[in-house]
Amino acid sequence: MTLQIKDSIEQTYRHHVIDCAGAQLLISARSLATVCRVEGEVDAANAENLTQEIRHYARLKSPLIIDFSRVEFLGLAGFRGLLVIVEEQRKSHLHCSVIAGATMRPLLRIVTDHSLPLVASMAEALQQIDDVVQAHRQFFSDIVSQRQVRCADSVARAAGMGS
């Protein structure tokens, strides 16, 4: 079963805005993920600060969506910071999606082995996370069902021996 998620309907619990000297980081704690939306210019002067701020919220250990679609300029230092964060999420076995935007496209053409988990939109990122959650629920539901059947079979066999 696929759940269609509308970004405007998706519930947002908290919203923080952090100034990173030319870039703004908007954090939304949503029901499915932590969303880090970056706006403005990301260059050598603010990339490390921005990376540290995103890392702070990545430590929440929930799926992470990093949205660069509203970035007006993205320098190599900012791109490098994004690669580091995504790799840290991967090593922690946490879902991460990146919405690239126009300013990242030239860098993606140059750095072809980036391994960024790119998505086209917020709706797509949320849908991917929901699909993973549903698959995990189904997997564990199947395990519980199998155990219940084995338990019932064991009880039935034990009752048959006792007669």
Side-chain angles (χ1 to χ4, degrees), residues 15-28 35-43 46-47 49-51 53-54 57 66-74:
H15 188 78
H16 301 279
V17 178
I18 301 164
D19 182 57
C20 296
Q24 291 74 45
L25 179 61
L26 292 84
I27 306 295
S28 300
V35 177
C36 298
R37 187 176 76 204
V38 182
E39 297 180 354
E41 298 182 357
V42 182
D43 54 24
N46 62 7
N49 183 25
L50 179 67
T51 300
E53 291 294 343
I54 293 173
Y57 289 95
I66 306 171
D67 183 356
F68 269 70
S69 65
R70 297 182 185 175
V71 171
E72 297 163 11
F73 173 81
L74 178 60

Side-chain angles (χ1 to χ4, degrees), residues 28 32 36 59 64 68 83 93 105 114 122 125-126 131 146 158:
S28 300
L32 289 175
C36 298
R59 289 188 188 112
L64 184 66
F68 269 70
L83 293 173
H93 304 286
R105 288 190 193 109
H114 54 74
M122 184 65 64
L126 292 168
D131 290 347
Q146 291 170 1

Side-chain angles (χ1 to χ4, degrees), residues 1 8-9 11 26 40-41 44 48 67-69 71 85 89 92 105 112 120 126 128 149 151 157:
M1 178 170 93
S8 60
I9 297 173
Q11 188 172 9
L26 292 84
E41 298 182 357
E48 183 61 31
D67 183 356
F68 269 70
S69 65
V71 171
I85 291 168
Q89 289 291 102
S92 297
R105 288 190 193 109
T112 57
L126 292 168
Q128 280 184 0
V149 167
C151 184
R157 279 194 302 271

Side-chain angles (χ1 to χ4, degrees), residues 35-147:
V35 177
C36 298
R37 187 176 76 204
V38 182
E39 297 180 354
E41 298 182 357
V42 182
D43 54 24
N46 62 7
E48 183 61 31
N49 183 25
L50 179 67
T51 300
Q52 291 304 319
E53 291 294 343
I54 293 173
R55 271 188 175 137
H56 174 77
Y57 289 95
R59 289 188 188 112
L60 295 174
K61 302 295 183 194
S62 67
L64 184 66
I65 300 170
I66 306 171
D67 183 356
F68 269 70
S69 65
R70 297 182 185 175
V71 171
E72 297 163 11
F73 173 81
L74 178 60
L76 278 176
F79 188 71
R80 193 175 315 119
L82 176 62
L83 293 173
V84 168
I85 291 168
V86 168
E87 180 63 15
E88 290 170 354
Q89 289 291 102
R90 187 190 65 73
K91 285 181 179 177
S92 297
H93 304 286
L94 293 168
H95 180 88
C96 182
S97 295
V98 176
I99 304 168
T103 58
M104 192 181 296
R105 288 190 193 109
L107 292 169
L108 295 173
R109 283 193 292 271
I110 295 167
V111 183
T112 57
D113 60 344
H114 54 74
S115 70
L116 290 174
L118 298 174
V119 293
S121 67
M122 184 65 64
E124 182 182 348
L126 292 168
Q127 186 64 56
Q128 280 184 0
I129 295 166
D130 185 64
D131 290 347
V132 169
V133 168
Q134 295 302 324
H136 283 159
R137 284 184 182 154
Q138 184 62 49
F139 174 76
F140 288 114
S141 175
D142 291 347
I143 289 174
V144 169
S145 294
Q146 291 170 1
R147 286 188 178 170

